[in-house]
C-alpha cells in the first residue's frame, strides 16, 4: 500500500514538471524513497551551510543643524552631534567559498563598527565590509576561514511566476529557518523600498532578520537575496521581496574589482507604457519603457535611440516598465554593452548601446551658481525613484550649507521647472534671474529653499 502511495505522489509531482523545470524535477526525485515521504531535506542539507547569521554593533550618529540666529545668540558649533550605540541581526549568503565572500543587505551592516558572521556549524568569524550599494541595498563582506560552503548562483532571468522557491535566513534571531513558497511576481518596482527596484516577489514567509538571506530554487541554487516584506504590522503576510541573483552578481563583481559600484548610465527620460499611453499612441504593446527624451551626447543617442521609442526588452529579457529598465541599466557596470529591443513606429529593431559612467556627470555646484558653492552634484534619484540632481558631498559652513542644503538632498525642480539631470539644472540656472526657489526632496519629505 505504501509503495503504491509513493508511486501516486511521484506521478503527481511529475505533472508539475512544467512549472519547476526538468532539471528541478530530476534533482527532486531522489527525495522520494520507498519508505520515506517526499522531502526537500537532501537539498537543504547541502544548501543551508551556505547561509549565515550576521550580528552587528555600531554607533548611530545624528546631526541637527542649529539655525544661524541661535548660533549667534548662544555661540558654539553650527550643528549638534549625538551618538547612540546600536546592535542588529540579519542574514547573509556565502557566494564564494575560496575567497570568503558573503553577500547581505546594506541596511543590515550599514554604519556597523563590528560585523560577526555565524556559520551554520556554530563558528563565529569577524567580517570585513568590502563595499556596498545603498540604492539596491547590497553589501559584500569577506571572512577568512577554511571549509566554507557557497551556494551556486542561478540565472534569475530564467525565473517564471509559479516556480517553487525556498527562503533561508535568521528571522527574529532564532537561527537558521526555512520557509517555502512560489514566485508570485517578477520585476516589481515603484514600491519606494529602495532607489533602484527590480524585485522578485514571493509568498515564502520572510520576517525581520531574514534580510540578506537566501531565496533558492528546488535544485539548491541562489535565485535572490531576501530584502523586504510588505506588512502593515511588520510581520509576514505572504508578500516578500528579493533582489534577483543576476542583479546582485553584477554589483558584487564591480565591488570586488573596483571597491565600488561603477553605475551604468543610458541617458534617457521616460515613463511606463500603460493602457492609457498604449491607446493614445495606438501602440501594439501594453508594457515596456517609453522614451520621452534622449539626452545629448549620451550612450542612448550614440546607440541610436530616439524619442518615441518603446524599449521592450534588455539583453533578451522582457521589460515591464521604465523603473525596471532604470534599475537594470544602473546595476550594469559602466562600459557594459547592452542590447535593447525597441518598437519604433510599429517596427521592431534591436539597438546596441555602450553604457556611460554615471559618475562622469559629477560637477562642482559653484560652476552653476555662487550660492551653491561647497556642494557636489550628480545625477540621482529620490526615494520614490524619480530622477533629479543629488547633493553627493557638502562642505561644512559653505554657502550651500548656509542656505540649508544637506548631503543627500535631491533637487527635483527650480522655479516650478522640473529638473531631471545636472545638464537640465545648469540650463535652468543659466537663464534664471532674481529669486530662485529650489524644490528639494529630503528623504520622504519635500521642502523649498529660496535664494535671492
Amino acid at each position: 500500500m505504501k509503495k503504491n502511495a509513493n508511486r501516486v505522489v511521484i506521478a503527481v509531482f511529475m505533472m508539475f514538471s512544467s512549472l519547476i523545470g526538468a532539471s528541478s524535477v530530476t534533482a527532486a526525485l531522489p527525495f522520494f524513497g520507498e519508505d520515506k515521504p517526499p522531502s526537500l531535506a537532501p537539498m537543504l542539507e547541502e544548501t543551508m551551510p551556505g547561509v549565515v547569521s550576521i550580528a552587528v554593533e555600531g554607533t548611530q550618529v545624528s546631526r541637527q543643524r542649529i539655525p544661524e540666529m541661535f548660533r549667534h545668540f548662544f555661540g558654539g558649533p553650527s550643528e549638534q552631534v549625538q551618538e547612540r550605540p546600536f546592535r542588529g541581526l540579519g542574514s547573509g549568503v556565502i557566494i564564494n567559498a575560496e575567497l570568503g565572500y558573503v553577500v547581505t543587505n546594506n541596511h543590515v551592516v550599514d554604519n556597523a563598527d563590528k560585523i560577526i558572521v555565524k556559520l551554520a556549524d556554530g563558528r563565529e568569524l569577524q567580517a570585513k565590509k568590502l563595499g556596498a550599494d545603498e540604492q539596491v541595498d547590497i553589501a559584500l563582506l569577506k571572512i577568512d576561514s577554511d571549509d566554507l560552503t557557497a551556494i551556486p548562483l542561478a540565472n534569475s532571468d530564467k525565473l517564471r511566476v509559479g516556480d517553487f522557491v525556498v527562503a533561508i535566513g535568521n528571522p527574529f534571531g532564532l537561527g537558521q529557518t526555512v520557509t517555502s513558497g512560489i514566485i508570485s511576481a517578477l520585476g516589481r518596482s515603484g514600491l519606494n523600498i529602495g532607489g533602484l527596484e527590480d524585485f522578485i516577489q514571493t509568498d515564502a514567509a520572510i520576517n525581520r532578520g531574514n534580510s540578506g538571506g537566501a531565496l533558492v530554487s528546488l535544485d539548491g541554487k541562489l535565485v535572490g537575496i531576501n530584502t523586504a516584506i510588505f506588512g502593515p504590522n511588520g510581520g509576514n503576510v505572504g508578500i516578500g521581496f528579493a533582489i534577483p541573483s543576476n542583479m546582485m552578481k553584477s554589483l558584487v563583481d564591480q565591488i570586488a574589482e573596483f571597491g565600488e559600484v561603477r553605475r551604468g548610465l543610458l541617458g534617457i527620460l521616460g515613463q511606463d507604457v500603460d493602457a492609457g499611453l498604449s491607446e493614445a499612441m495606438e501602440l501594439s504593446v501594453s508594457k515596456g519603457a517609453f522614451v520621452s527624451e534622449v539626452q545629448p551626447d549620451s550612450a542612448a543617442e550614440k546607440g541610436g535611440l530616439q524619442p518615441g521609442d518603446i524599449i521592450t526588452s534588455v539583453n533578451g529579457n522582457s521589460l515591464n516598465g521604465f523603473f525596471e529598465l532604470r534599475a537594470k541599466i544602473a546595476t550594469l557596470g559602466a562600459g557594459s554593452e547592452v542590447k535593447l529591443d525597441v518598437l519604433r513606429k510599429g517596427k521592431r529593431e534591436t539597438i546596441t548601446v555602450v553604457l556611460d559612467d554615471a559618475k562622469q556627470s559629477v560637477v562642482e555646484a559653484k560652476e552653476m551658481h555662487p550660492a551653491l558653492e561647497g556642494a557636489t552634484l550628480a545625477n540621482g534619484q529620490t526615494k520614490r525613484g524619480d530622477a533629479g540632481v543629488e547633493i553627493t558631498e557638502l562642505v561644512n559652513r559653505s554657502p550651500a550649507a548656509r542656505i540649508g542644503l544637506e548631503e543627500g538632498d535631491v533637487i527635483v525642480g527650480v522655479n516650478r521647472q522640473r529638473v531631471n539631470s545636472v545638464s537640465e539644472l545648469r540650463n535652468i540656472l543659466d537663464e534664471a534671474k532674481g529669486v530662485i526657489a529650489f524644490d528639494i526632496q529630503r528623504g520622504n519629505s519635500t521642502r523649498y529653499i529660496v535664494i535671492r
Side-chain angles (χ1 to χ4, degrees):
M1 184 72 178
K2 189 180 294 184
K3 291 182 179 180
N4 291 333
N6 280 340
R7 290 192 185 100
V8 171
V9 172
I10 293 173
V12 171
F13 190 82
M14 290 298 291
M15 291 174 62
F16 289 95
S17 62
S18 61
L19 289 176
I20 62 177
S23 61
S24 296
V25 173
T26 302
L29 280 176
F31 301 173
F32 298 92
E34 292 293 326
D35 300 313
K36 295 181 181 180
S39 174
L40 295 174
M43 178 274 286
L44 291 170
E45 287 172 0
E46 297 183 4
T47 304
M48 290 179 69
V51 182
V52 302
S53 299
I54 296 177
V56 300
E57 297 179 10
T59 302
Q60 189 82 37
V61 179
S62 61
R63 290 181 169 84
Q64 183 175 3
R65 189 173 300 281
I66 300 174
E68 187 80 31
M69 60 181 294
F70 292 109
R71 265 184 274 153
H72 178 73
F73 185 75
F74 292 108
S78 61
E79 61 182 12
Q80 185 178 17
V81 179
Q82 293 182 334
E83 295 184 355
R84 182 180 302 171
F86 71 88
R87 293 184 177 183
L89 296 171
S91 307
V93 183
I94 301 173
I95 61 167
N96 188 312
E98 183 178 349
L99 297 176
Y101 285 169
V102 177
V103 170
T104 186
N105 288 142
N106 178 64
H107 76 260
V108 172
V109 296
D110 194 26
N111 296 320
D113 300 319
K114 185 178 181 181
I115 305 172
I116 299 297
V117 169
K118 184 175 181 180
L119 304 182
D121 61 12
R123 286 179 289 167
E124 294 189 359
L125 306 167
Q126 189 153 344
K128 176 184 178 183
K129 182 178 175 180
L130 298 183
D133 185 350
E134 183 179 354
Q135 294 291 323
V136 180
D137 201 11
I138 281 291
L140 178 63
L141 312 178
K142 180 177 174 58
I143 56 177
D144 292 319
S145 180
D146 297 326
D147 301 324
L148 297 177
T149 299
I151 300 181
L153 302 186
N155 181 356
S156 57
D157 289 334
K158 302 298 183 183
L159 295 175
R160 295 172 298 171
V161 173
D163 285 349
F164 291 104
V165 287
V166 175
I168 311 172
N170 177 32
F172 304 110
L174 293 172
Q176 279 202 337
T177 301
V178 178
T179 56
S180 65
I182 63 169
I183 291 175
S184 307
L186 295 167
R188 285 293 195 214
S189 61
L191 305 172
N192 299 325
I193 295 173
L196 297 169
E197 300 178 347
D198 182 19
F199 292 119
I200 299 167
Q201 181 181 324
T202 179
D203 66 348
I206 296 174
N207 288 287
R208 190 174 302 162
N210 273 108
S211 292
L215 189 69
V216 301
S217 58
L218 290 191
D219 57 355
K221 292 184 178 180
L222 185 69
V223 301
I225 301 295
N226 299 323
T227 297
I229 59 174
F230 182 85
N233 300 315
N236 171 63
V237 293
I239 302 177
F241 301 101
I243 299 166
S245 57
N246 286 6
M247 177 181 283
M248 176 274 292
K249 183 179 185 303
S250 176
L251 296 170
V252 165
D253 287 347
Q254 293 173 56
I255 293 171
E257 183 174 358
F258 307 114
E260 63 178 357
V261 173
R262 296 191 173 179
R263 205 174 300 289
L265 182 67
L266 185 57
I268 63 171
L269 302 178
Q271 65 182 77
D272 291 346
V273 173
D274 56 21
L277 182 64
S278 180
E279 182 179 356
M281 299 194 66
E282 298 181 351
L283 304 176
S284 60
V285 295
S286 57
K287 64 179 182 178
F290 177 75
V291 180
S292 60
E293 181 181 337
V294 176
Q295 296 177 345
D297 200 35
S298 64
E301 184 182 63
K302 294 173 185 175
L305 276 175
Q306 299 176 8
D309 286 348
I310 297 168
I311 303 173
T312 58
S313 73
V314 178
N315 289 334
N317 300 303
S318 61
L319 200 62
N320 290 313
F322 190 81
F323 286 113
E324 184 184 354
L325 169 68
R326 198 167 63 81
K328 288 182 182 297
I329 292 297
T331 51
L332 294 171
S336 297
E337 187 175 276
V338 181
K339 290 186 178 180
L340 305 174
D341 288 334
V342 172
L343 184 65
R344 178 180 296 168
K345 297 179 180 179
K347 296 182 179 180
R348 297 186 179 272
E349 299 184 22
T350 298
I351 292 175
T352 301
V353 299
V354 178
L355 299 182
D356 291 331
D357 189 340
K359 281 198 170 184
Q360 291 178 353
S361 61
V362 174
V363 299
E364 296 295 329
K366 66 181 180 181
E367 300 174 7
M368 299 185 184
H369 196 284
L372 299 180
E373 182 177 351
T376 301
L377 308 177
N379 291 339
Q381 53 274 317
T382 66
K383 288 279 188 180
R384 296 177 57 185
D386 297 327
V389 176
E390 183 179 356
I391 312 296
T392 57
E393 295 180 20
L394 188 67
V395 177
N396 286 335
R397 302 183 182 180
S398 64
R402 286 199 294 269
I403 67 173
L405 288 172
E406 295 183 5
E407 189 171 312
D409 284 352
V410 180
I411 302 171
V412 295
V414 176
N415 292 351
R416 295 190 175 182
Q417 296 185 64
R418 186 72 176 87
V419 171
N420 295 285
S421 64
V422 170
S423 61
E424 286 187 12
L425 177 62
R426 186 192 303 275
N427 293 336
I428 293 172
L429 291 179
D430 283 344
E431 298 177 2
K433 296 179 181 179
V435 176
I436 298 176
F438 291 99
D439 183 355
I440 303 293
Q441 289 289 316
R442 182 174 296 167
N444 293 318
S445 64
T446 300
R447 63 190 61 206
Y448 284 88
I449 293 177
V450 179
I451 58 177
R452 300 177 185 275

